[in-house]
Amino acid sequence: QMATVKNIDPLPLVRRKWAELSSTEAGREEFSRLVGKLAPYKAPLCATITELGRGYAEGTMPDRPEVRNHIGSIDAIALANFAELVGNLALVFSMQDGMRFIIRETIAEYHKKARGMITAHASLTIPFDGEEALPTVNVCLYDNANKLVAEMNFTSKVGPN
């Protein structure tokens, strides 16, 4: 998880870098590469974060051979990894400094084969402010035709470091 990279607290870094880089497409791509360095297992998705704020995040993931399965669509686990990335960023942006999280439960519903550029919309209600909580992030994934491909819910345990 991004919240425990090399014993540093990445929350302030993520917020600061988004504020510095998010005003241009090139900046958002640079921010997304930074996230890939903080969570290297997510880098192969080549995702770009397009919107990020307290309680929400959006991003895109291109359809590439590296994320396709044996039937020619984007693999279910690649979709789950993308949803987790965008959902975790929405959560991180909603937490106070000095907090950390770990996912406790994942629920995934796949509605149709995923092909083409995929867009993720993540949202959560922010019921916590420095105390332990179990917020759920909802992430909906859409294809180029704006058809729902998958919906995922990630419930995380959030608490102080």
Side-chain angles (χ1 to χ4, degrees):
Q1 304 297 336
M2 281 185 45
T4 58
V5 177
K6 296 183 183 177
N7 296 324
I8 63 165
D9 184 358
L11 277 60
L13 172 67
V14 168
R15 289 189 199 104
R16 187 178 76 247
K17 286 298 185 182
W18 179 255
E20 290 173 12
L21 300 170
S22 64
S23 63
T24 67
E25 185 175 336
R28 290 186 294 274
E29 289 172 3
E30 184 178 338
F31 173 83
S32 300
R33 284 190 296 277
L34 169 68
V35 170
K37 289 179 183 176
L38 291 173
Y41 50 92
K42 302 292 186 191
L45 299 174
C46 294
T48 300
I49 304 306
T50 56
E51 295 286 331
L52 185 54
R54 189 166 160 80
Y56 71 93
E58 294 182 8
T60 58
M61 180 181 74
D63 185 345
R64 303 170 37 250
E66 295 85 353
V67 297
R68 284 191 165 234
N69 59 25
H70 65 287
I71 59 172
S73 60
I74 298 173
D75 187 75
I77 297 304
L79 292 170
N81 275 323
F82 176 49
E84 180 187 21
L85 170 68
V86 177
N88 283 354
L89 285 169
L91 180 60
V92 162
F93 236 71
S94 304
M95 294 166 38
Q96 294 180 353
D97 292 350
M99 301 290 282
R100 63 183 177 169
F101 73 95
I102 188 162
I103 292 177
R104 299 277 307 258
E105 180 180 56
T106 300
I107 299 172
E109 292 182 54
Y110 297 93
H111 300 284
K112 66 182 294 262
K113 291 178 186 173
R115 293 192 174 102
M117 181 71 74
I118 302 298
T119 301
H121 299 275
S123 62
L124 73 146
T125 305
I126 306 154
F128 56 93
D129 56 353
E131 300 297 321
E132 286 193 8
L134 293 168
T136 297
V137 181
N138 173 262
V139 185
C140 293
L141 303 176
Y142 298 92
D143 63 14
N144 281 340
N146 205 30
K147 300 289 184 191
L148 183 65
V149 169
E151 182 173 4
M152 310 206 180
N153 289 291
F154 301 96
T155 301
S156 296
K157 181 177 181 184
V158 175
N161 281 337

